[in-house]
Amino acid sequence: MKRRNLFGLAAALTVATALSGPLAAQETLKIGAVGPKTGPLAGGGAVTFWPNVQLWANDVNEAGGIDVGGTKMMVEIIEYDDQTNPGETIKAVQRLATQDEADFILAPYGTGLNIASAPIFERYGYPMVTHTAISDQIADLSGKFPNMYFLLGGATGLAGGVVDVLTQMRDAGEIGNSVAMVNVADAFGIELAEAARPQFEAAGFEIVYDSSYPLGTQDLSPVINGARDSNPDAFVAWSYPPDTFGLTEQAQIAGLAPKAFYTAVATAFPSYGARFGAAAEGVLGAGGVFADGDAFKDYAARHEAVTGAKPDFWASAPAYASFQILQQAIEGAGTTDKAAVAEFIAKNDFDTIIGPITWDENNSNAKYWTVGQWQGGVFKGVASTGRDGAVAAMPKTGWE
Amino acid sequence: MSMTKSDWQSITLSAVLLAVAACLPLTGDAYMLSIGITIAMYAVLATSWALFSGPTHYISLATAAFFGLGTYTTAIGIENGLNYWVTLPIAAILGAVLAALVGLATLRLSGVYFVIFTLGLAELVRQVVTWGQNVSGQKGLYVLTDITEVHIYWQLLVLAAIVYLTGWAIGRSRLGFALRIIGDDEEVARHSGINTSRAKILLFMVSGATAAVVGSMLAPRYIYIEPALAFTPMLSFLVVIMALLGGTGRLWGPLVGVIPFTLLWEAISASFPNQTTLLLGLSFLVIVYLLPRGFVGLIESGKRKMREREAFA
């Protein structure tokens, strides 16, 4: 008797599972996420990409899901590590498209990995709103991959922002005319230095020191000593995360304390402010956000509550915004049909945590933050190509 | 060279297997195709690696250097208006030249010195490319072509056929014989009048040229080429692991390692995306402790046991 009961229960359970299976599947949107968890870009991915994937999924599901033509659909994230290897990114996106049959796929992390996987997004018709792809070939890329969008801007704008900020400081009589410029000898550092040189000269600055150092250099004292000996009014380093920290440290040791001190990637990381504390005050860096805006403050609080870490003051918010755009497009199109969602993205403007987004003729967001500055423990945007909320840059007063 | 009956058998069998492999895209399954490309790529790299390292026992970690060189050759070539097909032989020549230079400088080294040098080589070439970019102010390169994954797959298969034919021909030639003697005892080889440096350099050139061509073929797939991606040291390690896992004693040995490893890697990447590095470490341990001669060793000792049992029966 007891055994029969047990069988009955098992049978009922089987039937119930069989019934609920397909129903549950229909109410869930499968969203693919591919990014580096190992390899050279794993550090950046852990600050900027993965926490935002987690936060966005959490936000969406807490609100009851995405509204698809009247049906609320929860999102389920399928994560893959691409090992910072384009071959693996391609395979993972391919796997998401054909094996997991993901409804949508979030754009990967990093310029090279985004571009490598663009043909796969294109082949399966997935819209691709990139958040961390910086390229000067956006026109070519968007021509070849019409579903590819760009949020973070380009090197020319980032370099131009620095020149503008320094020009304003000079015109205000805060700094003089001489600039010491160094760059990390790797893709992005080279591109920025190349873009900055003519712009500095056109703005009437004199580059009194111009040098580069290899990627992964541990001892940055020759670079900093060379810059200090040129006695510049402004120091500009087109640097990567490890050397951004190294240069700042070395500048304090060597007593390089110009009125304008700029380091590029990772200056906007919360860990930069945490490490240098009061000494970070007045340091300029790549990126920036409208840090005093309610949208960012609210986002930062949720980011910390859900993921346990603070967002960075540059690409974090655009990464989240790119997911928001996808979400709004699905709701706007009222369907999970990829072509309809892609069309909705192309034809509409979006309101995100970084403000309104409109696309230019190359599917690119033309208004992005270029320079920020640590002011009172927060990295505030001081220059952009048309965003609201910039504060005035202030001269740096030593390292104390 | 006279062909025996068993030679014809193996050539026919290989041709049939290749023809079957070439039909993979006809299934229309793009996911299978992307795995197929990975297998074909590593099969060519591991086999050409084993052509040199198998008989000589010189462990080369320079695959990434040649691969990256090929990638850059195609990227720079296409940017300067060259036809894609022209860049492949150029890459092969550059790969062979680099291998010859390296060989002249280092093949007198042996053991761990050679391993470390080849690992450093990939880094050296990468730094030179980066320096070139820094001086010229040019960053990542874009390879925008109309070449699809199917084309890349078929190209790799053709290259695989060429590598197997080359390996087979070398195995039967005086060069192959010389290399086997070098592998057993280099001193003896030299005393027998074999020009050991020449033999090793020739083989290293074949291996380097092949890896360079593979890099060329993969460039249109990556589209965006930058030094960190093209010269990744991980590639060199994976090639060595797969080749050793299969076994370098036979021409088909590396393939027997590449296929299960790639499929396992794929399964791990799909199910436990955070554990791929662990798999790599475990494979190392398995090779060292359980499979010192790879799957080839396992298969052949299995065969021998079968034969012995038959003899007793």
Side-chain angles (χ1 to χ4, degrees):
Chain A
M1 188 66 187
K2 266 188 182 165
R3 184 177 288 173
R4 206 165 54 201
N5 278 346
L6 221 59
F7 271 121
L9 190 69
L13 206 67
T14 316
V15 173
T17 327
L19 282 177
S20 68
L23 273 179
Q26 274 178 1
E27 284 163 3
T28 313
L29 269 181
K30 278 195 222 168
I31 308 283
V34 181
K37 293 187 175 193
T38 52
L41 288 183
V47 172
T48 305
F49 181 65
W50 292 112
N52 280 300
V53 174
Q54 190 192 344
L55 175 64
W56 176 71
N58 180 75
D59 285 354
V60 167
N61 287 340
E62 217 157 61
I66 296 182
D67 187 349
V68 186
T71 318
K72 284 276 197 177
M73 293 176 85
M74 304 292 254
V75 299
E76 178 202 343
I77 303 284
I78 306 171
E79 293 183 4
Y80 290 126
D81 172 20
D82 63 21
Q83 301 150 28
T84 321
N85 172 346
E88 291 293 325
T89 316
I90 293 169
K91 260 202 301 168
V93 174
Q94 185 77 254
R95 194 190 299 136
L96 283 166
T98 58
Q99 303 306 107
D100 301 316
E101 295 176 346
D103 293 298
F104 293 95
I105 304 177
L106 306 175
Y109 179 82
T111 306
L113 303 177
N114 266 297
I115 294 174
S117 57
I120 315 287
F121 277 83
E122 190 62 31
R123 182 186 312 150
Y124 293 100
Y126 287 106
M128 185 183 198
V129 185
T130 69
H131 38 79
T132 41
I134 296 182
S135 170
D136 61 343
Q137 304 236 347
I138 286 178
D140 281 0
L141 288 170
S142 66
K144 199 164 170 68
F145 310 114
N147 285 340
M148 195 176 185
Y149 296 82
F150 302 85
L151 271 188
L152 206 59
T156 314
L158 285 171
V162 175
V163 177
D164 289 346
V165 167
L166 294 185
T167 307
Q168 281 161 22
M169 291 174 80
R170 183 187 61 191
D171 294 349
E174 290 164 352
I175 60 169
N177 216 15
S178 60
V179 178
M181 185 173 98
V182 304
N183 70 282
V184 57
D186 196 65
F188 191 46
I190 295 169
E191 191 171 356
L192 284 166
E194 227 21 61
R197 238 169 247 126
Q199 296 193 47
F200 270 129
E201 274 161 28
F205 281 99
E206 189 193 350
I207 302 179
V208 291
Y209 182 72
D210 188 349
S211 176
S212 69
Y213 53 89
L215 184 65
T217 303
Q218 300 290 331
D219 180 12
L220 292 160
S221 56
V223 176
I224 289 292
N225 291 345
R228 183 197 54 199
D229 295 345
S230 70
N231 197 22
D233 296 309
F235 174 78
V236 174
W238 308 110
S239 55
Y240 276 0
D243 27 295
T244 293
F245 286 85
L247 289 166
T248 309
E249 197 125 280
Q250 196 60 41
Q252 298 182 37
I253 295 168
L256 169 67
K259 290 276 187 293
F261 185 90
Y262 173 96
T263 45
V265 184
T267 314
F269 283 8
S271 52
Y272 187 92
R275 167 128 162 225
F276 296 111
E281 184 72 6
V283 171
L284 296 158
V289 287
F290 179 17
D292 296 325
D294 289 336
F296 182 78
K297 279 185 173 165
D298 176 50
Y299 157 75
R302 275 184 294 126
H303 191 286
E304 196 168 1
V306 172
T307 70
K310 290 190 169 91
D312 74 50
F313 295 96
W314 185 14
S316 276
Y320 187 87
S322 76
F323 307 157
Q324 277 188 307
I325 289 171
L326 184 62
Q327 177 185 350
Q328 289 171 18
I330 296 170
E331 293 185 334
T335 164
T336 57
D337 179 54
K338 291 180 287 239
V341 173
E343 197 186 327
F344 190 91
I345 295 179
K347 291 194 171 151
N348 288 278
D349 299 341
F350 296 88
D351 192 28
T352 70
I353 55 159
I354 55 169
I357 301 286
T358 51
W359 309 116
D360 67 8
E361 72 280 8
N362 294 327
N363 288 347
S364 178
N365 160 37
K367 296 178 177 177
Y368 51 90
W369 288 98
T370 55
V371 188
Q373 185 175 42
W374 283 97
Q375 295 184 0
V378 178
F379 190 77
K380 297 180 177 177
V382 295
S384 72
T385 56
R387 285 273 157 219
D388 293 333
V391 298
M394 58 181 197
K396 184 162 176 56
T397 51
W399 289 107
E400 281 77 45
Chain B
M1 256 195 258
S2 67
M3 307 272 278
T4 66
K5 197 175 157 211
S6 88
D7 282 338
W8 281 113
Q9 274 178 352
S10 19
I11 288 189
T12 315
L13 182 67
S14 312
V16 169
L17 287 177
L18 202 68
V20 171
C23 292
L24 176 73
L26 303 182
T27 63
D29 188 334
Y31 175 63
M32 289 303 293
L33 182 62
S34 72
I35 295 178
I37 289 182
T38 312
I39 291 181
M41 165 186 151
Y42 281 113
V44 174
L45 289 174
T47 308
S48 71
W49 179 89
L51 279 186
F52 167 75
S53 297
T56 60
H57 303 305
Y58 277 70
I59 303 284
S60 158
L61 287 175
T63 310
F66 299 115
F67 181 89
L69 181 74
T71 316
Y72 266 88
T73 306
T74 295
I76 293 172
I78 286 181
E79 190 164 83
N80 291 306
L82 282 186
N83 184 299
Y84 166 75
W85 297 105
V86 180
T87 66
L88 296 187
I90 297 178
I93 293 167
L94 290 178
V97 169
L98 178 67
L101 290 176
V102 172
L104 282 172
T106 64
L107 281 175
R108 288 162 212 280
L109 301 172
S110 61
V112 73
Y113 303 103
F114 180 76
V115 181
I116 295 297
F117 181 87
T118 52
L119 178 63
L121 179 69
E123 196 57 27
L124 175 75
V125 178
R126 168 178 155 182
Q127 293 297 345
V128 169
V129 169
T130 308
W131 173 81
Q133 291 185 329
N134 197 31
V135 170
S136 68
Q138 194 178 33
K139 353 92 281 211
L141 292 164
Y142 293 80
V143 187
L144 291 164
T145 61
D146 293 323
I147 297 167
T148 64
E149 298 226 292
V150 181
H151 297 143
I152 296 172
Y153 178 71
W154 280 333
Q155 286 177 39
L156 285 168
L157 284 190
V158 171
L159 187 61
I162 296 172
V163 168
Y164 280 114
L165 278 177
T166 312
W168 176 79
I170 290 175
R172 294 166 50 99
S173 67
R174 290 163 59 95
L175 179 62
F177 187 50
L179 282 162
R180 280 194 293 278
I181 301 176
I182 294 172
D184 283 340
D185 192 325
E186 198 161 340
E187 239 8 77
V188 169
R190 213 169 302 142
H191 280 278
S192 321
I194 294 170
N195 186 341
T196 56
S197 307
R198 185 176 144 271
K200 286 189 290 186
I201 291 171
L202 275 176
L203 248 278
F204 198 48
M205 285 168 68
V206 171
S207 181
T210 311
V213 175
V214 174
S216 284
M217 288 177 172
L218 266 291
R221 188 177 193 230
Y222 289 179
I223 304 177
Y224 178 76
I225 312 293
E226 58 179 5
L229 301 180
F231 294 99
T232 168
M234 193 67 167
L235 180 80
S236 306
F237 283 104
L238 282 175
V239 166
V240 174
I241 290 172
M242 290 188 209
L244 292 181
L245 185 66
T248 56
R250 290 277 178 277
L251 192 55
W252 46 268
L255 185 66
V256 189
V258 167
I259 293 176
F261 189 92
T262 314
L263 295 179
L264 184 64
W265 185 264
E266 179 62 23
I268 302 258
S269 306
S271 315
F272 310 98
N274 303 334
Q275 314 301 343
T276 44
T277 321
L278 190 68
L279 168 70
L280 205 61
L282 283 179
S283 306
F284 256 129
L285 292 179
V286 166
I287 292 167
V288 172
Y289 286 110
L290 304 177
L291 290 171
R293 289 195 301 138
F295 285 135
V296 168
L298 204 65
I299 293 169
E300 299 205 324
S301 66
K303 263 194 205 160
R304 204 177 313 122
K305 274 194 194 124
M306 289 254 286
R307 234 175 289 138
E308 276 165 14
R309 209 169 297 154
E310 272 163 25
F312 281 122

